[in-house]
């Protein structure tokens, strides 16, 4: 106690100075709106900065967990996209889509100005990608996996004159095929639709599941122009593609889980 009294008596002027300085500063800040605003803004900035770095520090150790959650969310959203296609098609059995799995990929390269165009994606064999798998986006069909390495894969684009998609007319369920003629990237050709079929401009064309590549019901395009060729039993039809290849940045690779069983059974059937 004596030491405390001795300390106060020794530094009484300094202690009094700091007390008065604190009190005057308190009244100055509270009575002056501008100073008060600057004070609280500064304190908010400092506390915000501290919390930001604190949050960043702890978030760093949660990156792996967050990546796993993001992958699960991407898978859930991709499956929701596929189901949304089916919900727009009355004749599509939505339970068929339970036999498909999806892997999201980013596009690294996308050729558009050739007659045989290809796309490069950032997923490969280590991600379960195999040759022949279908590739779609949130807008429609993109193509089919052509070649696969460990970390990458190339995709034969719908904008490739050698690529054909098994399709049906949504309104009548008429089986058909879609191909690109190498001209306008926005226009595809609808093939093998007999002239006795009732078709109109605006009719939607969707994928069939006959080729074991795409689920039934994925959008391909809508009829834009219908012409009759007197030398053919089929219409000459242009469809407007739902997929804009000029603004394509990410895709989903389609894995048909029962494809091996289906192919093996059909092979055995045809051989006998």
């Amino acid at each position: 106690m004596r030491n405390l009294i001795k300390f106060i008596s020794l530094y009484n002027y300094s202690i009094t100075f700091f007390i008065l300085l604190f009190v005057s500063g308190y009244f100055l800040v509270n009575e002056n709106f501008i100073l008060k605003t600057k004070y609280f803004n500064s304190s908010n900035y400092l506390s915000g900065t501290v919390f930001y770095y604190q949050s960043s520090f702890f978030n760093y150790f949660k990156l792996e967990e967050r990546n796993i959650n993001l992958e699960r969310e991407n898978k859930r959203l991709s499956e929701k996209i596929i189901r949304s296609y089916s919900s727009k098609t009355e004749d599509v059995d939505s339970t068929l889509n339970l036999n498909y799995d999806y892997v999201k990929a980013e596009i690294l390269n996308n050729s558009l100005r050739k007659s045989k165009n290809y796309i490069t994606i950032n997923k490969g064999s280590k991600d379960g990608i195999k040759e022949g798998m279908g590739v779609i986006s949130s807008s429609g069909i993109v193509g089919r996996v052509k070649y696969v390495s460990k970390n990458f894969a190339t995709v034969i684009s719908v904008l490739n004159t050698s690529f054909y998609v098994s399709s049906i007319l949504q309104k009548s369920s008429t089986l058909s095929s879609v191909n690109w003629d190498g001209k306008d990237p926005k226009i595809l050709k609808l093939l093998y639709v007999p002239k006795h079929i009732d078709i109109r401009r605006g009719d939607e064309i969707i994928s069939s599941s006959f080729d074991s590549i795409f689920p039934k019901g994925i959008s391909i395009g809508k009829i834009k122009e219908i012409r009759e060729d007197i030398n053919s039993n089929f219409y000459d039809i242009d469809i407007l593609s739902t997929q804009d290849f000029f603004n394509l940045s990410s895709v989903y690779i389609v894995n048909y889980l029962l494809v091996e069983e289906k192919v093996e059974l059909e092979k055995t059937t045809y051989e006998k």
Side-chain angles (χ1 to χ4, degrees), residues 58-74:
F58 288 109
N59 285 340
Y60 175 80
F61 296 98
K62 296 181 180 180
L63 284 177
E64 183 176 357
E65 179 183 353
R66 290 191 174 188
N67 285 335
I68 293 174
N69 290 334
L70 283 173
E71 288 181 2
R72 290 174 180 171
E73 180 67 9
N74 282 334

Side-chain angles (χ1 to χ4, degrees), residues 3 9 14 55 58 84 116 129 143 146 157-158 170 204 220 238 248 267:
N3 291 334
S9 61
S14 298
S55 176
F58 288 109
S84 70
K116 297 182 183 296
I129 308 304
K146 181 70 173 178
S157 170
V158 169
Q170 180 177 338
E204 187 166 3
I220 300 176
D238 292 341
L248 190 61
K267 181 181 178 182

Side-chain angles (χ1 to χ4, degrees), residues 81-94:
I81 289 171
I82 304 305
R83 287 195 295 270
S84 70
Y85 285 125
S86 297
S87 65
K88 298 175 184 177
T89 310
E90 296 180 357
D91 297 330
V92 173
D93 183 359
S94 60

